[in-house]
Amino acid sequence: MWWENAVFYEIYIASFADSDGDGIGDINGIRKKLPYLKEFGIDALWLTPFYPSPKVDNGYDVSDYCAVDPQYGTLAAFDLLVEEAHQLEMRIIIDVVVNHTSTKHPWFIESASGKEHPKRDWYIWRDQPNNWESFFGGSAWKYDAATDQYYYHSFAEEQADLNWQNQEVKQAVFDVLRFWLGRGVDGFRFDVINNLTVSDQFIDNPVRKDGKQDHCIDVNQPGIKRVLKELNQWIKTVDPSIFTVAEISSDQLARINSYTEDGLFDTAFHFNLGSMEELDLEKLTRDFKEMSQQKKIPTLFFNSHDMSRSWQRLAKENRDIYRLLTVFLLINRGIPFLFQGEEQGVGDYLPQQLADIRDIQAKNKYQEELILSGESHALIMANQVNRDRSRGMLPWLSNQQSGWIGLAAVNQEAKGILADYQNLIRLRKTEGPFTAIRNIKLTGDCLSYQTESLQIILNFGQPIKHSLEGNRKTIFGNGMLSEDGHWVHLPAKACWIGKEQL
Ligand SMILES: [Ca+2]
Ligand SMILES: [Ca+2]
């Protein structure tokens, strides 16, 4: 299928490109950047939510699934974006946020209007709350005085969870998907899809010794796979070439892969590697070996709109390490998902005061810590979880304006980094598709593996002499071949790719 060899690019619309000077990214801004994206080798775009939203969780609180937020443009602009992307042979997938809606969505307003309303059961209403906590902090239940019941929200209280036991909810979501398929989208990214509430068992979550809650009853509920299979099968019946990728809120490989079984999603985001707090080569190698054996192709990424950028988090601002990670992403079996700006080595944006924080998760953390430890410490703790870090406005111009958040940090080596991405994507296209990975080995800090006719050596450590399989010539990197062709000498923090000579 087309996605198995595609390079994806995630666009966080508000911070990507602004076409009308209000300092907020928009759909026409994306249209203007299509030639740039095509030029450096992108095959498909993933657009984060652009739907009307009160933006409590910056668009992941949708109040109308079948429209475009006026801040970002119009449906007509969206249609042009799809048309122009397709003309350039680029595909577009969109974010589907159906664990919850905004409490401003008409469905919720109707549901909240009375206990007897036909849509009451579209959401999760209970006379009494249980101990479930919201993933954004505090109780996951909000009391509604008008009807004397509590509704469930696994994230912010302005994001009410849909009741996936209800068949009408499922049909309503199918209608939404049908609407966007009709406008030509090529696939869907399903937000926190293992959080769908499909069970009517409201048993308390167990609480660990440290007082934190184990979210084992409120996610991955019994029956969820049946619902998700139905969803995927419906999509594939409409058109088997529609791509589905799942966001599973877990960094455990086995859990993630359990959602790509037959009949489920085409793939899922592999946070086990993608969201590593720091570079751990042993973990990387261990998981890489396991992922190379799995039937469905994995995703590969080191950045997204939910975490600190890999330039800081993994590469520690080291250009050579950054290049090694880029090789791993692109010369590998897997679907690379680049995040806007990473191709220019863009760095984190770090708010300097509460007033500058936009992420609700960081705001909540700040308030929690403020009581315990005062302002400056609260800021540090908030920024440690702050998703704003990767959401800084992209610095396309030296006088770039931002209307809603600070600017992402410019990388002085942006041009060279972009050239790396471009060269490696070209190499991927001439030497790929990479369908099998062999001989994964970690020697000290040096990772080596083979795919099709290539041997890839990524040396994260000191200079090393590394043995080669077969007779090879250098096609990328800065290793030096020995005269007999059996060895390559790599400087510190260098990579080398050799192609087998027949
Ligand atoms: Ca704008
Ligand atoms: Ca849920």
Side-chain angles (χ1 to χ4, degrees):
M1 278 294 181
W2 63 268
W3 59 81
E4 289 171 311
N5 201 38
V7 177
F8 280 76
Y9 188 91
E10 178 192 354
I11 291 183
Y12 193 76
I13 185 165
S15 312
F16 183 60
D18 173 27
S19 71
D20 57 4
D22 65 358
I24 303 169
D26 46 50
I27 286 183
N28 284 335
I30 304 173
R31 289 174 58 207
K32 285 192 180 157
K33 292 293 177 198
L34 288 177
Y36 161 84
L37 295 166
K38 178 71 189 174
E39 167 70 20
F40 99 83
I42 297 303
D43 303 298
L45 307 178
W46 154 27
L47 307 186
T48 61
F50 49 81
Y51 318 104
S53 161
K55 302 196 182 65
V56 170
D57 189 18
N58 215 18
Y60 283 91
D61 47 324
V62 179
S63 56
D64 182 351
Y65 287 114
C66 296
V68 172
D69 192 298
Q71 195 167 59
Y72 300 137
T74 59
L75 266 178
F78 180 87
D79 291 342
L80 283 173
L81 172 64
V82 172
E83 190 186 323
E84 289 165 4
H86 285 172
Q87 277 165 6
L88 292 170
E89 293 177 331
M90 282 193 278
R91 290 180 164 90
I92 291 192
I93 71 166
I94 60 173
D95 227 305
V96 179
V97 189
V98 289
N99 174 65
H100 48 262
T101 71
S102 164
T103 49
K104 299 277 190 275
H105 195 291
W107 297 347
F108 184 79
I109 294 169
E110 288 177 55
S111 181
S113 68
K115 280 183 177 171
E116 304 308 316
H117 192 281
K119 284 203 175 73
R120 184 67 170 179
D121 186 49
W122 280 38
Y123 293 82
I124 297 154
W125 294 94
R126 305 262 297 164
D127 291 332
Q128 291 298 324
N130 64 4
N131 83 336
W132 293 359
E133 284 172 358
S134 148
F135 289 90
F136 286 167
S139 170
W141 297 92
K142 171 81 176 169
Y143 181 63
D144 174 54
T147 57
D148 190 28
Q149 279 195 316
Y150 295 79
Y151 69 84
Y152 175 58
H153 61 88
S154 51
F155 295 93
E157 65 183 54
E158 297 88 349
Q159 294 167 297
D161 278 51
L162 284 163
N163 175 17
W164 277 84
Q165 266 208 339
N166 185 304
Q167 297 302 304
E168 290 170 10
V169 166
K170 196 183 64 194
Q171 289 304 327
V173 169
F174 287 179
D175 287 344
V176 170
L177 301 181
R178 196 180 285 117
F179 174 86
W180 291 106
L181 289 173
R183 305 197 98 85
V185 306
D186 303 287
F188 302 108
R189 177 264 187 194
F190 288 93
D191 186 58
V192 293
I193 202 67
N194 61 320
N195 286 37
L196 294 195
T197 307
V198 298
S199 153
D200 55 6
Q201 299 295 301
F202 293 91
I203 303 157
D204 278 355
N205 276 323
V207 179
R208 297 193 303 246
K209 279 200 181 115
D210 62 4
K212 290 200 175 126
Q213 184 162 104
D214 239 335
H215 285 277
C216 60
I217 310 290
D218 52 351
V219 298
N220 307 306
Q221 293 191 335
I224 192 164
K225 298 233 173 110
R226 185 181 45 77
V227 172
L228 295 179
K229 266 186 189 156
E230 209 181 321
L231 176 75
N232 274 280
Q233 277 161 7
W234 180 84
I235 292 170
K236 299 294 179 182
T237 310
V238 175
D239 179 351
S241 77
I242 300 298
F243 172 58
T244 64
V245 53
E247 184 199 32
I248 304 303
S249 51
S250 171
D251 57 6
Q252 300 302 308
L253 184 55
R255 172 74 71 196
I256 296 166
N257 282 344
S258 74
Y259 284 89
T260 63
E261 293 160 6
D262 284 343
L264 284 166
F265 297 94
D266 291 320
T267 189
F269 288 114
H270 284 87
F271 289 105
N272 55 312
L273 296 185
S275 63
M276 275 192 295
E277 283 301 326
E278 56 185 357
L279 194 54
D280 177 343
L281 290 175
E282 279 175 20
K283 179 188 164 50
L284 180 97
T285 306
R286 206 168 47 236
D287 282 17
F288 179 30
K289 279 184 183 166
E290 212 172 316
M291 286 155 73
S292 72
Q293 299 301 317
Q294 72 187 52
K295 188 171 132 198
K296 289 222 183 131
I297 191 163
T299 55
L300 293 171
F301 62 95
F302 292 118
N303 288 283
S304 84
H305 64 284
D306 280 336
M307 58 181 96
S308 167
R309 285 181 174 274
S310 67
W311 174 248
Q312 265 93 10
R313 184 170 43 94
L314 301 177
K316 309 287 183 215
E317 306 194 4
N318 181 299
R319 164 78 194 277
D320 297 327
I321 298 286
Y322 201 70
R323 179 189 282 126
L324 298 180
L325 295 171
T326 310
V327 174
F328 183 83
L329 269 187
L330 295 170
I331 310 301
N332 211 329
R333 171 183 179 252
I335 308 173
F337 271 83
L338 312 184
F339 177 58
Q340 62 185 36
E342 78 166 85
E343 77 281 10
Q344 299 191 25
V346 157
D348 280 347
Y349 155 65
L350 219 52
Q352 296 301 308
Q353 52 182 348
L354 175 62
D356 297 333
I357 298 180
R358 298 289 171 267
D359 176 20
I360 181 168
Q361 193 173 315
K363 283 186 204 169
N364 291 351
K365 183 77 179 167
Y366 186 97
Q367 297 304 348
E368 250 171 55
E369 294 288 334
L370 186 61
I371 304 160
L372 300 170
S373 54
E375 280 181 20
S376 62
H377 191 66
L379 184 68
I380 292 167
M381 297 304 285
N383 276 340
Q384 277 178 14
V385 299
N386 197 345
R387 295 176 300 170
D388 292 340
R389 288 176 296 182
S390 56
R391 299 175 181 180
M393 190 80 190
L394 284 197
W396 295 109
L397 306 166
S398 57
N399 63 348
Q400 185 74 47
Q401 297 294 307
S402 179
W404 77 281
I405 198 169
L407 292 179
V410 177
N411 193 313
Q412 296 312 319
E413 300 184 85
K415 268 193 186 153
I417 292 172
L418 182 61
D420 280 346
Y421 273 81
Q422 192 159 23
N423 289 334
L424 287 163
I425 292 175
R426 267 194 213 127
L427 190 63
R428 178 186 172 87
K429 289 184 178 166
T430 46
E431 301 297 332
F434 304 126
T435 56
I437 301 290
R438 307 184 303 281
N439 295 339
I440 300 172
K441 261 185 281 187
L442 184 66
T443 317
D445 290 325
C446 189
L447 175 66
S448 161
Y449 57 97
Q450 287 168 254
T451 178
E452 321 306 316
S453 64
L454 304 184
Q455 183 169 2
I456 294 103
I457 306 177
L458 305 175
N459 179 21
F460 289 87
Q462 294 306 308
I464 193 173
K465 179 181 164 192
H466 201 287
S467 64
L468 298 179
E469 314 266 337
N471 179 21
R472 292 179 180 273
K473 71 164 185 186
T474 303
I475 58 167
F476 187 87
N478 40 359
M480 210 173 71
L481 275 176
S482 65
E483 261 176 39
D484 62 9
H486 294 321
W487 297 88
V488 61
H489 296 263
L490 276 94
K493 298 183 177 63
C495 65
W496 180 82
I497 302 175
K499 182 170 176 163
E500 195 158 17
Q501 298 296 98
L502 298 173

